[in-house]
Amino acid sequence: RQYLSGKITENSYYATLSKKAKIPREKLRKLAINKYKEIIKPRKNVLLLAKLLKEKGYKISIISNISPDHKRIKKSLGLFKDFSPVILSCDIGYQKPQKKIFQIALKRAKAKAEECIFIDDRESHLIWPKKLGMKTIHFKNAARLIRDLRKMGVKI
């Protein structure tokens, strides 16, 4: 949690894990990063939908609980390019489902909560956005997301 919130450094995180796992820090870091690169599966259809909505004039933001090393990987893959603002837990010190991360996102997006639709695959992450006045969608798959967005009046 502290690493995802940027409250401890990457070196500190891997040093702690290294001691517990009894694996040299750099080797552990490389293993972790390589494994993440293997398992990361961007939802291309959702990224295409975000790009389409952006082209139609919608503001598309992202809020992600993410570590600094995963941030670098996703950034290198161009996964954040169609989003603005990009709110990452490791950069701001808060994580979903904390209320503060959503308040920061609204401020950076220069948006009112009632103007926003927050989408997440974890129901527990929808509680604060809903309390703040955002519409919410529990993500299941891209087809259902498109139906849910259309029901909310989004032109796709």
Side-chain angles (χ1 to χ4, degrees), residues 49-58 60 154-156:
L49 176 60
K51 184 176 181 158
L52 171 73
L53 291 170
K54 181 182 173 189
E55 289 169 358
K56 288 184 174 258
Y58 290 98
I60 307 297
V154 175
K155 307 278 188 256
I156 300 174

Side-chain angles (χ1 to χ4, degrees), residues 8 21 25 31 33 42 50 75 85 95 103 122 131 150 154:
I8 61 170
R25 184 181 62 190
L31 284 169
I33 289 170
K75 195 171 184 177
Q95 299 175 52
Q103 292 171 319
R122 293 187 184 183
K131 284 182 180 181
R150 283 185 173 140
V154 175

Side-chain angles (χ1 to χ4, degrees), residues 70-85:
H70 293 179
K71 170 187 162 181
R72 281 191 301 279
I73 293 165
K74 286 186 171 188
K75 195 171 184 177
S76 74
L77 294 172
L79 300 182
F80 300 136
K81 70 179 184 218
D82 290 313
F83 299 89
S84 180

Side-chain angles (χ1 to χ4, degrees), residues 14 38 47 60 74 90 114 117 139 146:
Y14 283 109
E38 278 178 35
L47 292 169
I60 307 297
K74 286 186 171 188
C90 64
E114 43 293 341
I117 301 171
F139 179 85
I146 290 168

Side-chain angles (χ1 to χ4, degrees), residues 8 15-16 29 36 48 50 54 66 80 87 97 101-102 112 118 145 147 152 154:
I8 61 170
T16 301
R29 183 177 173 277
Y36 185 71
L48 287 171
K54 181 182 173 189
I66 193 168
F80 300 136
I87 310 295
I101 197 167
F102 301 105
K112 295 178 184 163
F118 180 73
L145 174 60
R147 284 194 306 273
M152 292 182 172
V154 175

Side-chain angles (χ1 to χ4, degrees), residues 13 18 70 78 85 107-108 124 143 150 154:
Y13 172 73
S18 173
H70 293 179
K107 187 175 181 178
R108 290 195 185 167
S124 62
R150 283 185 173 140
V154 175

